[in-house]
Amino acid sequence: TGVYDRIDVREEVRYALYALQHRGQESCGISVNDHGVITTVKDVGLVPDVLDCDIYDDVCDHLIAIDTFTNKVVGTYRLIKKSHLKDIKTFLTETEFDLSNLKQYEILEVGRAVVKEEYRDGITISMLWKGVIRYAVSEGIDFMIGTASFHGINPHDYEDTLSYLHYNHLSSEEIRCYALKDSYSPIDLKEDYDLEVAKKNMPPLIK
């Protein structure tokens, strides 16, 4: 399927692929030609899983890392400011957390971190974060927010890590954000947490 000379080519092709993907097909992909630079996204899975996008993607800023030797996109970050939310009104993080104590400040929501597998040696993500910091400084950002995931669905598997974060990196009360009732899962924090276990089980993005 090909589409050209349209305002929203990405969405046109995405919906076309969604309609064409038949039962038994286990992968999909899309390539975009931007003034001679061809970017390809492909993976195993259904279209909604591989080509994920939402209402924020059309209004936010995107930070992109490009391998200058191959001219290919190798990493991205999505950056959302309050000025991007004129029509949407709320940050994506607000689906899980109450940000009332932060809404008076200039906030930057950082999310959708993606790095190609062969570039996950720490260099690309480090360069992306340098870009995020420069963006935040230039835009006068007071606080950066975002969500990061732990593997699995049982919070008790991460008691040491969550206890370490609580006792060492809890934000001050006047700017603290709280999980919404539907997203909240109680857990017994441990003052005698195992530091080695805590750091071992901590996801890279949280580190």
Side-chain angles (χ1 to χ4, degrees):
T1 301
V3 179
Y4 69 95
D5 197 26
R6 298 291 292 272
I7 294 176
D8 198 348
V9 170
R10 180 196 61 193
E11 279 299 285
E12 295 262 357
V13 173
R14 180 173 180 269
Y15 285 125
L17 288 173
Y18 185 82
L20 290 172
Q21 189 173 45
H22 301 294
R23 185 175 301 174
Q25 293 179 327
E26 298 179 347
S27 62
C28 64
I30 184 172
S31 294
V32 178
N33 185 344
D34 185 8
H35 301 288
V37 178
I38 298 178
T39 302
T40 299
V41 176
K42 59 182 179 180
D43 207 342
V44 175
L46 298 176
V47 171
D49 300 320
V50 177
L51 306 178
D52 185 23
C53 64
D54 58 31
I55 57 176
Y56 294 94
D57 287 318
D58 292 326
V59 299
C60 69
D61 288 327
H62 296 272
L63 180 65
I64 299 173
I66 298 176
D67 185 333
T68 55
F69 289 100
T70 64
N71 212 28
K72 292 183 177 180
V73 174
V74 298
T76 64
Y77 247 120
R78 185 170 74 176
L79 309 175
I80 306 175
K81 302 183 299 180
K82 283 202 286 189
S83 59
H84 294 144
L85 304 177
K86 294 178 181 179
D87 298 321
I88 304 174
K89 306 302 182 185
T90 59
F91 289 98
L92 182 61
T93 303
E94 290 183 89
T95 60
E96 297 185 43
F97 293 90
D98 180 357
L99 304 183
S100 299
N101 290 336
L102 281 181
K103 294 300 283 284
Q104 61 182 305
Y105 299 99
E106 286 300 322
I107 304 172
L108 176 65
E109 184 177 73
V110 182
R112 289 285 180 87
V114 178
V115 176
K116 291 189 71 172
E117 186 173 357
E118 59 267 36
Y119 289 83
R120 295 174 187 172
D121 55 4
I123 297 175
T124 302
I125 194 67
S126 177
M127 293 184 68
L128 283 169
W129 266 106
K130 286 182 179 179
V132 171
I133 297 301
R134 288 178 181 174
Y135 181 96
V137 171
S138 67
E139 297 296 321
I141 300 300
D142 297 310
F143 295 100
M144 292 192 293
I145 63 172
T147 59
S149 301
F150 287 82
H151 294 293
I153 59 174
N154 186 0
H156 299 284
D157 292 339
Y158 299 97
E159 286 182 348
D160 290 282
T161 303
L162 294 173
S163 297
Y164 165 78
L165 292 171
H166 175 83
Y167 288 114
N168 294 274
H169 299 286
L170 189 66
S171 58
S172 56
E173 190 171 350
E174 63 269 19
I175 61 170
R176 192 172 302 163
C177 302
Y178 297 89
L180 299 178
K181 184 177 180 180
D182 291 341
S183 302
Y184 178 76
S185 180
I187 185 173
D188 294 325
L189 297 172
K190 306 190 305 185
E191 292 189 31
D192 59 339
Y193 57 83
D194 187 316
L195 181 59
E196 184 176 348
V197 172
K199 292 190 173 181
K200 178 182 178 181
N201 292 335
M202 194 179 302
L205 280 178
I206 296 179
K207 290 180 180 179

